Amino acid sequence: MKKLLKSLGPVSAIIGAQWGDEGKGKATDILSEHYDVIARACGGANAGHTIVIDGKKHIFHLLPSGCMHEGKTVVIGAGLVLHLPTLLEEIQTLKTHGIEVLNRLFISPEAHILFDFHKEIDGVMERMREEKRGQGIGTTKRGIGPAYMDKAARIGIRMEQLGCDLTGELTQRRDQVKNMYGIDIDVKLEIDNLRRAASLLQNRIVDTIDLLHELLEEGKTLLVEGAQATLLDIDHGTYPFVTSSSTTAAGALQGLGIAPKMLTSCIGVAKAYCTRVGSGPFLTEMQGELAERIRKRGGEYGATTGRPRRCGWLHLPDLIRTARINGYTHWNITKLDVLDSEEQICVGTGKRSSAEAEYAVLPGWQESTVGLTKFSALPKNAQKYIEFIEEQTGIPAALIGTGQAREQMIIRS
Ligand code: GDP
Ligand code: IMO
Ligand code: MG
């Protein structure tokens, strides 16, 4: 770990390389122990980041997954859209596990508030897309698109306004929203939610740009937990089947107000295969029994919505492209163990734009890798598979996941 930390340097970002759910939460949890400050930079409660400690599962939606480590400074940056009841619930759940996060939590005044009515609009817009295009995006219905729409339209309400009386503003919005989407905003409920949040969070709102830069100047280290993933990026993803935020390393830095030159490393997180929830192209998607087997072995059901995830093979051209976009310095290849029983491992190699996938076929290892923590202990064919990914992408696999639990990770220098 020491050597790895040295190569990561003081400011590192963990960024998904596929369509999300690669295991960013687990990597964040493991590395957080060694960083002073842990930050979420963008997205909202569409994220579901799972960590497993002592057999117990914890799912984070808004707080960074590093929160379980007591004493770490936790930052929520400007790029997020915050559903406040969800945030309060997460803080409360941690408290019931004996973990106090409030006194070390700092929230950007520039982060936007995501209201319950944004979630309702999300649902209506999905129905409209289904009717008009015959297919929705398959959003998480967490109100993400509508909240970022308000932000881009410059009518959003930000955390700096928490504590102000927003009755007038929300009443005005009620009429607009009713006209456009046929939805009744429950102004009283929204105001109650704001009041509840203000009483707990108002004194946690600070200029997080000043805070982060001062901490970095003092020599503190920062770990940035990306949310969603590069193929879901609003610009570079499989548009329109994407989320509404910038999910890349650049997006994360923007979301926190940190200059690109300050980032010392970027860990690309990719499953040893690939999954996607929601609609959109998936060239290497598996079908039938194979898909079922991988879904079952990998527990591929959404951490936020419980939806079954679509499963497929790794696609090298996508990995290479996401590596370019993010400047990955290290890979965390996750869920290697899920492929343990496969006779053959396919890897998509063709052009990104081709209509049909082309594959390189590698021999499987058909031995358990579950819980292994040393690369040399992996079956030879598993080692070869990892080395194949490294050679093709030119990026070392510094972390390799061999199970859900915190300690089930191979860490290489
Ligand atoms: P995230 O959104 O990127 O943080 O990922 P999710 O938490 O949504 O989904 C990843 C799932 O895979 C979670 O259930 C993790 O517990 C699990 N997971 C992570 N790494 C591994 C691994 O190496 N092996 C196995 N079997 N499961 C893993
Ligand atoms: P984490 O951080 C997987 C997907 C949704 C949908 C599309 C748009 O856990 O990896 P949205 O609700 O954002 O408008 O949905 O993006 N999506 C995710 N898929 N993991 C996520 O987050 C996701 N966040 C959004 O399924 O296809
Ligand atoms: Mg997830």
Side-chain angles (χ1 to χ4, degrees), residues 21 24 47-49 303 309:
D21 305 327
K24 298 174 292 291
H49 297 178
R309 296 176 183 146

PDB file of all heavy atoms in Angstrom, residues 21 24 47-49 303 309, ligand 3:
ATOM      1  N   ASP A  21     -21.393   1.809 -11.403  1.00  0.00           N
ATOM      2  CA  ASP A  21     -21.444   0.615 -10.556  1.00  0.00           C
ATOM      3  C   ASP A  21     -20.215  -0.282 -10.707  1.00  0.00           C
ATOM      4  O   ASP A  21     -20.286  -1.498 -10.538  1.00  0.00           O
ATOM      5  CB  ASP A  21     -22.717  -0.216 -10.840  1.00  0.00           C
ATOM      6  CG  ASP A  21     -23.975   0.615 -10.689  1.00  0.00           C
ATOM      7  OD1 ASP A  21     -23.974   1.516  -9.829  1.00  0.00           O
ATOM      8  OD2 ASP A  21     -24.945   0.359 -11.414  1.00  0.00           O
ATOM      9  N   LYS A  24     -16.664   1.875  -7.370  1.00  0.00           N
ATOM     10  CA  LYS A  24     -15.952   3.085  -6.929  1.00  0.00           C
ATOM     11  C   LYS A  24     -16.013   3.228  -5.414  1.00  0.00           C
ATOM     12  O   LYS A  24     -15.049   3.657  -4.777  1.00  0.00           O
ATOM     13  CB  LYS A  24     -16.579   4.333  -7.582  1.00  0.00           C
ATOM     14  CG  LYS A  24     -16.496   4.334  -9.092  1.00  0.00           C
ATOM     15  CD  LYS A  24     -17.247   5.496  -9.699  1.00  0.00           C
ATOM     16  CE  LYS A  24     -18.746   5.415  -9.539  1.00  0.00           C
ATOM     17  NZ  LYS A  24     -19.413   4.347 -10.318  1.00  0.00           N
ATOM     18  N   ALA A  47     -26.447   8.092  -7.621  1.00  0.00           N
ATOM     19  CA  ALA A  47     -25.329   7.222  -7.261  1.00  0.00           C
ATOM     20  C   ALA A  47     -25.748   6.262  -6.153  1.00  0.00           C
ATOM     21  O   ALA A  47     -26.544   6.609  -5.283  1.00  0.00           O
ATOM     22  CB  ALA A  47     -24.151   8.068  -6.780  1.00  0.00           C
ATOM     23  N   GLY A  48     -25.204   5.061  -6.233  1.00  0.00           N
ATOM     24  CA  GLY A  48     -25.378   4.097  -5.149  1.00  0.00           C
ATOM     25  C   GLY A  48     -24.047   3.404  -4.992  1.00  0.00           C
ATOM     26  O   GLY A  48     -23.641   2.654  -5.872  1.00  0.00           O
ATOM     27  N   HIS A  49     -23.337   3.714  -3.936  1.00  0.00           N
ATOM     28  CA  HIS A  49     -21.987   3.190  -3.749  1.00  0.00           C
ATOM     29  C   HIS A  49     -21.969   2.250  -2.557  1.00  0.00           C
ATOM     30  O   HIS A  49     -22.272   2.652  -1.435  1.00  0.00           O
ATOM     31  CB  HIS A  49     -20.991   4.341  -3.547  1.00  0.00           C
ATOM     32  CG  HIS A  49     -20.884   5.250  -4.748  1.00  0.00           C
ATOM     33  ND1 HIS A  49     -20.087   6.354  -4.783  1.00  0.00           N
ATOM     34  CD2 HIS A  49     -21.475   5.189  -5.968  1.00  0.00           C
ATOM     35  CE1 HIS A  49     -20.201   6.950  -5.976  1.00  0.00           C
ATOM     36  NE2 HIS A  49     -21.047   6.262  -6.703  1.00  0.00           N
ATOM     37  N   ALA A 303     -27.837  -0.593  -6.958  1.00  0.00           N
ATOM     38  CA  ALA A 303     -27.753  -0.237  -5.538  1.00  0.00           C
ATOM     39  C   ALA A 303     -28.741   0.872  -5.195  1.00  0.00           C
ATOM     40  O   ALA A 303     -29.114   1.037  -4.031  1.00  0.00           O
ATOM     41  CB  ALA A 303     -26.330   0.201  -5.197  1.00  0.00           C
ATOM     42  N   ARG A 309     -29.140  -5.321 -13.579  1.00  0.00           N
ATOM     43  CA  ARG A 309     -28.221  -4.656 -14.501  1.00  0.00           C
ATOM     44  C   ARG A 309     -28.009  -5.526 -15.738  1.00  0.00           C
ATOM     45  O   ARG A 309     -27.934  -6.744 -15.618  1.00  0.00           O
ATOM     46  CB  ARG A 309     -26.872  -4.416 -13.807  1.00  0.00           C
ATOM     47  CG  ARG A 309     -26.955  -3.464 -12.640  1.00  0.00           C
ATOM     48  CD  ARG A 309     -25.597  -3.352 -11.926  1.00  0.00           C
ATOM     49  NE  ARG A 309     -25.672  -2.490 -10.754  1.00  0.00           N
ATOM     50  CZ  ARG A 309     -24.963  -2.677  -9.636  1.00  0.00           C
ATOM     51  NH1 ARG A 309     -24.134  -3.697  -9.536  1.00  0.00           N
ATOM     52  NH2 ARG A 309     -25.087  -1.835  -8.621  1.00  0.00           N
TER      53      ARG A 309
HETATM   54 MG    MG B   3     -23.512   2.292  -7.996  1.00  0.00          MG
END
